[in-house]
Amino acid sequence: MHRSQLTIDLGAVRRNIRRLIAALDGADLWAVVKADAYGHGAVDVAGVALSEGARTLCVVTLAEALELRAEYPTARILVMSPLLPAEIARAREAGLEITVVDADIPEGVRVHIKLDTGMGRFGLSELLSAPGGNVVGLMSHLATADCDLEFARVQVERFRQLTEPYAGLIRHIANSAAVLHIPEASFDAARCGIALYGLSPFGSDPADDGLEPVLRWESRLAQVKQLQPGESTGYGRRFVATEPTWIGLVPVGYADGFRRDMTGTELLIQGQRRPVIGTVSMDSVAVSLERELLVDTPVVIVGDGLLVEDHARVAATINYEITCGICSDRRRARRVIVDA
């Protein structure tokens, strides 16, 4: 019996893509499926994205791109980080498109030149005077589209000025947050990741922007016991009962992606939110119960209105990090794909 179950709803992916395409108002949607589609399954999500009109699949590593190439022989695939010379040769053979962040433009492969307009990471600060014939795109990346629209718009204008002489090339800078809140950033295409998965780029309720969560995570109560006053649960005795307290042990821990800093978050049990108490272990977590419940009572970790964003706030992190960290090893979690 599996310790937990991850359910990925490809129907929700479809609806999120349609929402983004409508917001793009004519610009192309490029689906970012790096990091195994932020933990949702790159091959499955890529197939849905292509069927719903995504023009390009975006990844970060050559290995990610080659996995998708094997499944989707004709898809346009962009590797968004610089590659080693040996990797460029393999990318050329596989018909991939690559990102270049300096003045060295390789031959025989379709290239997107990355400009640094304010992120302060990879990219050129000025565009080459005459991009080569195999340069097909100009790109940049927004640093604050989720939190500082003023600076994001400064970046968009810098990008516009730098690339205007080459408007015949594909220009792309927008991410999910920009598609939803900065329409002028879309240019020819937008690289959307987090919103595909029904996760808010702003750390708020995804429904605020018409998005629908794709991931559901469930487990069960593996043991139920009552602590007496003075008794504790978990490493370090971080929770000590001050009165008779029923607790349930859920067989999910930080090895499964339920992080140690998520102590204090809530889980759904019989429709009620119940607090996680004590220290999160590698393989289990304790939850405070109102009363004695049966072993095998279902526990919802994500779903039914309990959001990844709720857990992220407790852990003082972002929703991206939560889903990327969920373990999908079939020896620990059952993975179910639906298209509802």
Side-chain angles (χ1 to χ4, degrees), residues 162-236:
L162 286 169
T163 62
E164 197 63 39
Y166 308 100
L169 301 177
I170 302 169
R171 296 185 290 171
H172 47 108
I173 187 174
N175 55 13
S176 292
V179 169
L180 294 168
H181 286 190
I182 314 175
E184 67 270 25
S186 294
F187 290 90
D188 302 304
R191 306 182 307 271
C192 293
I194 196 74
L196 297 183
Y197 312 108
L199 298 167
S200 171
F202 314 104
S204 56
D205 188 335
D208 293 346
D209 287 292
L211 302 173
E212 182 180 338
V214 170
L215 175 107
R216 180 180 178 86
W217 191 8
E218 302 165 275
S219 188
R220 62 189 179 89
L221 296 180
Q223 185 175 9
V224 175
K225 64 197 308 182
Q226 190 177 52
L227 300 180
Q228 298 303 317
E231 293 182 331
S232 61
T233 183
Y235 291 112

Side-chain angles (χ1 to χ4, degrees), residues 62-140:
L62 178 63
E64 290 174 331
L66 294 177
E67 179 186 37
L68 292 176
R69 173 58 74 227
E71 294 289 334
Y72 306 108
T74 63
R76 185 177 199 171
I77 301 173
L78 171 63
V79 182
M80 298 186 294
S81 282
L83 298 178
L84 298 172
E87 292 179 316
I88 292 173
R90 186 68 187 92
R92 184 183 296 113
E93 294 170 3
L96 305 175
E97 301 185 12
I98 68 170
T99 299
V100 169
V101 299
D102 54 32
D104 187 11
I105 308 296
E107 296 295 330
V109 60
R110 289 162 67 90
V111 167
H112 296 249
I113 297 176
K114 188 164 191 178
L115 302 171
D116 181 6
T117 57
M119 174 66 88
R121 296 193 315 191
F122 293 113
L124 294 162
S125 57
E126 298 290 338
L127 188 57
L128 302 176
S129 58
N134 59 320
V135 174
V136 298
L138 303 173
M139 62 189 289
S140 189

Side-chain angles (χ1 to χ4, degrees), residues 140-161:
S140 189
H141 194 46
L142 296 171
T144 66
D146 59 336
C147 60
D148 182 348
L149 296 185
E150 182 179 354
F151 184 74
R153 289 191 167 101
V154 168
Q155 281 194 258
V156 170
E157 185 55 32
R158 286 176 185 166
F159 183 69
R160 184 185 308 280
Q161 292 175 8

